[in-house]
Amino acid sequence: MMRNIIFSSLLLIFSISFLSAQDSLATSNFIEDEFDNLIESSNNYQGYKVVDYDALIELRDNTKRHVQDLKNELQEEQSTISNQNEEIENLENQLAQTQEDLQRVNEEKDAIKFLGMPFSKGSYMALMWGIVGVLILALLFFIYKFKNSNATTKEAKHRLDETEKEFDLYRAKALEKEQRLGRMLQDEKNKAKD
């Protein structure tokens, strides 16, 4: 948008300068025409041109007026040029400020604060994917440990079940043996009493 304004301003300056130059050329032709008219209207006398004094004074006054008008026009043009140069400089300063603001806004837009520190989007994404990667590795490690521990636990439970079965069998045999020995002892006591 600022570039369009600057471009439009420069186009306006050049068109004004072009039109002013055409006006100056037109007035320059006016003085030339007056000189030609004066020379044509003058009389010839012995190889010399005799010019009417009043016409010469009028030409001088017109020329002075025209030169003064040109000076005034030149001062106005220089004033216009300096004003337009100032305007161009102001617009360029505004454009530079706008570009700085735009760059700052883009940097802020591309920056993300994480834990109070500013990160660019790329480094933030890398950090987040790094954290996700570490968490996935930790999850895989804990899954492996869980499966390993689970297999060990199942094996220990299986051994415990086998040991309990063996112990139950042993206890049953020991109870049976104890009962048999108790009977035998009772039988012997009964025999001894008899």
Side-chain angles (χ1 to χ4, degrees):
M1 173 142 178
M2 292 299 286
R3 289 182 182 175
N4 290 339
I5 293 172
I6 291 174
F7 180 72
S8 300
S9 299
L10 290 175
L11 185 62
L12 180 65
I13 290 169
F14 289 129
S15 62
I16 289 172
S17 299
F18 181 72
L19 292 175
S20 298
Q22 286 183 345
D23 289 343
S24 297
L25 289 176
T27 56
S28 171
N29 287 340
F30 167 74
I31 297 227
E32 216 173 287
D33 290 341
E34 280 194 27
F35 269 110
D36 288 341
N37 287 338
L38 182 64
I39 290 171
E40 288 177 11
S41 66
S42 63
N43 297 324
N44 286 331
Y45 178 74
Q46 296 181 355
Y48 296 102
K49 285 280 191 179
V50 178
V51 178
D52 182 26
Y53 180 76
D54 292 333
L56 188 60
I57 296 296
E58 184 181 343
L59 177 63
R60 183 191 70 184
D61 291 342
N62 286 344
T63 305
K64 281 183 182 179
R65 196 176 323 110
H66 181 65
V67 168
Q68 187 61 39
D69 289 344
L70 287 176
K71 284 181 182 179
N72 292 341
E73 185 179 333
L74 182 62
Q75 285 178 349
E76 288 176 9
E77 293 297 325
Q78 286 177 342
S79 173
T80 303
I81 288 172
S82 65
N83 289 340
Q84 289 172 346
N85 285 338
E86 287 177 17
E87 186 177 342
I88 288 172
E89 187 176 326
N90 289 338
L91 290 174
E92 286 175 348
N93 291 338
Q94 288 177 357
L95 177 62
Q97 182 65 37
T98 303
Q99 287 175 340
E100 288 176 11
D101 292 343
L102 178 63
Q103 183 178 1
R104 183 178 45 79
V105 167
N106 283 338
E107 288 172 359
E108 288 177 2
K109 183 181 79 170
D110 289 339
I112 297 173
K113 287 199 175 199
F114 180 69
L115 300 176
M117 296 181 295
F119 287 97
S120 68
K121 283 186 177 179
S123 59
Y124 176 77
M125 292 288 287
L127 177 68
M128 287 296 113
W129 281 112
I131 290 172
V132 168
V134 168
L135 290 175
I136 288 173
L137 288 175
L139 178 66
L140 292 175
F141 175 74
F142 287 123
I143 288 173
Y144 169 75
K145 283 295 204 178
F146 173 76
K147 284 188 176 183
N148 195 14
S149 298
N150 194 20
T152 305
T153 304
K154 283 183 180 179
E155 186 179 332
K157 281 185 179 181
H158 181 67
R159 286 184 188 165
L160 180 64
D161 289 342
E162 287 178 358
T163 306
E164 283 180 354
K165 285 178 186 175
E166 287 177 10
F167 182 70
D168 286 342
L169 285 172
Y170 173 75
R171 192 172 29 183
K173 285 182 183 178
L175 186 61
E176 187 180 310
K177 189 176 183 182
E178 187 181 325
Q179 285 175 355
R180 197 177 30 184
L181 287 175
R183 275 189 226 123
M184 285 173 49
L185 181 63
Q186 189 65 32
D187 286 343
E188 289 297 322
K189 280 184 184 179
N190 286 342
K191 280 185 190 176
K193 275 187 185 179
D194 286 330

